[in-house]
């Protein structure tokens, strides 16, 4: 089955700097890769996702890149702000069948003002 | 439109007690999921359902049972609670097509087993 690994587990950046979180996956048939943000004490919420027919997707200060050959994808946050502080989860999975998404273990991002 | 609602929000149990966590969604979603979240372990799938009347095991199903008698509800049961089941439990749902649809999460249930 799918295995998703996420690095780093913790990340501290200065406000205004960029943050990058990386994930690798094992199942070459996986074709859907969402990212979730979980603020302290809150529910995980989808912030961006990418499908295997594109290599990059942007939404304001957030971007996700996908390298299917290397089986890795990354979340990029530019011009970080204190409200970006949260735990971020990547996930991966297939479009076919009923196999659920597999989540990474999460990255705790701290943006220091 | 409330989305995904979990009850209760908090609960303390003694070892050996049983309880049921309720998840309800009003988005007409086919797929529903139960996860547990422990520090440093991310979200681990306990059980899931791909439609009314169906259930399937996830990554960590031992010690839990589930039922999906109605499309909008997904129940998670602990028959004999153990301290290792102390965790935050999240329910989620997705429309159709499994992994290609975003999952919508509830607010979580914080469960402590003494």
């Amino acid at each position: 089955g799918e295995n998703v690994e996420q690095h780093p587990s913790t990340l501290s950046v200065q406000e205004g700097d960029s943050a990058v979180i990386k994930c690798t996956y094992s199942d070459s048939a996986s074709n859907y890769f969402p990212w979730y943000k979980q603020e302290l004490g809150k529910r995980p919420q989808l912030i961006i996702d990418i499908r295997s027919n594109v290599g990059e997707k942007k939404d304001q200060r957030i971007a996700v890149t996908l390298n299917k050959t290397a089986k890795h994808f990354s979340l990029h946050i530019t011009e970080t702000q204190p409200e970006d502080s949260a735990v971020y989860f990547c996930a991966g999975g297939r479009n076919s069948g009923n196999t659920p998404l597999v989540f990474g273990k999460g990255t705790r991002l701290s943006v220091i003002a | 439109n409330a989305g995904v609602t979990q009850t209760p929000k908090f609960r303390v149990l003694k070892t050996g007690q049983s309880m049921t966590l309720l998840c309800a969604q009003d988005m007409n979603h086919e797929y529903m999921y139960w996860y547990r979240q422990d520090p440093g372990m991310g979200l681990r799938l306990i059980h899931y359902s791909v439609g009314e009347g169906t259930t399937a095991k996830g990554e960590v199903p031992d010690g839990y049972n589930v039922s999906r008698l109605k499309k909008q509800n997904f129940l998670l049961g602990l028959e004999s609670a153990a301290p290792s089941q102390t965790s935050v439990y999240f329910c989620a749902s997705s429309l159709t097509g499994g992994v290609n649809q975003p999952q919508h999460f509830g607010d979580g249930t914080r469960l402590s087993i003494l």
Side-chain angles (χ1 to χ4, degrees), chain B residues 30-74:
Chain B
E30 289 292 336
Y31 287 62
M32 297 187 74
Y33 316 82
W34 275 107
Y35 295 90
R36 60 177 290 172
Q37 184 175 35
D38 304 293
M41 298 298 290
L43 292 160
R44 292 187 292 170
L45 184 64
I46 304 172
H47 287 281
Y48 64 102
S49 167
V50 300
E52 180 178 317
T54 75
T55 63
K57 294 181 180 180
E59 179 187 355
V60 289
D62 293 343
Y64 304 95
N65 57 75
V66 288
S67 64
R68 183 100 182 268
L69 298 179
K70 293 183 178 180
K71 185 177 182 178
Q72 63 268 33
N73 296 336
F74 196 29

Side-chain angles (χ1 to χ4, degrees), chain B:
Chain B
N1 190 333
V4 179
T5 303
Q6 291 183 233
T7 53
K9 297 190 186 308
F10 304 95
R11 186 73 183 269
V12 178
L13 291 178
K14 294 181 179 179
T15 298
Q17 287 185 317
S18 63
M19 79 161 296
T20 300
L21 280 64
L22 173 62
C23 178
Q25 52 93 5
D26 60 2
M27 297 175 284
N28 202 32
H29 283 178
E30 289 292 336
Y31 287 62
M32 297 187 74
Y33 316 82
W34 275 107
Y35 295 90
R36 60 177 290 172
Q37 184 175 35
D38 304 293
M41 298 298 290
L43 292 160
R44 292 187 292 170
L45 184 64
I46 304 172
H47 287 281
Y48 64 102
S49 167
V50 300
E52 180 178 317
T54 75
T55 63
K57 294 181 180 180
E59 179 187 355
V60 289
D62 293 343
Y64 304 95
N65 57 75
V66 288
S67 64
R68 183 100 182 268
L69 298 179
K70 293 183 178 180
K71 185 177 182 178
Q72 63 268 33
N73 296 336
F74 196 29
L75 278 62
L76 178 70
L78 286 73
E79 290 187 346
S80 180
S84 60
Q85 294 177 305
T86 293
S87 188
V88 179
Y89 291 85
F90 284 99
C91 176
S93 69
S94 60
L95 183 59
T96 58
V99 297
N100 238 2
Q101 296 291 331
Q103 291 187 19
H104 299 260
F105 285 82
D107 287 332
T109 296
R110 188 173 297 275
L111 183 62
S112 295
I113 315 296
L114 304 178

Side-chain angles (χ1 to χ4, degrees), chain A residues 61-106:
Chain A
R61 296 186 296 107
I62 293 173
V64 58
T65 58
L66 171 64
N67 183 326
K68 287 219 72 178
T69 302
K71 290 191 281 188
H72 67 73
F73 56 110
S74 301
L75 178 71
H76 304 252
I77 306 174
T78 58
E79 302 174 15
T80 54
Q81 300 168 3
E83 51 265 37
D84 294 329
S85 296
V87 178
Y88 291 82
F89 293 98
C90 64
R94 297 185 183 190
N95 186 30
S96 60
N98 293 326
T99 308
L101 284 173
V102 175
F103 283 82
K105 287 183 168 41

Side-chain angles (χ1 to χ4, degrees), chain A residues 18-70:
Chain A
S18 295
V20 180
I21 301 170
K22 298 180 180 180
C23 290
T24 61
Y25 62 97
S26 61
D27 186 352
S28 57
S30 288
N31 56 6
Y32 176 60
F33 307 95
W35 286 87
Y36 287 80
K37 175 184 180 181
Q38 186 180 27
E39 297 177 0
L40 188 63
K42 301 288 184 64
R43 67 179 76 182
Q45 291 192 300
L46 179 73
I47 55 172
I48 195 168
D49 56 14
I50 191 168
R51 291 171 172 77
S52 61
N53 57 339
V54 297
E56 183 176 3
K57 184 177 179 180
K58 289 184 179 180
D59 183 3
Q60 299 182 337
R61 296 186 296 107
I62 293 173
V64 58
T65 58
L66 171 64
N67 183 326
K68 287 219 72 178
T69 302

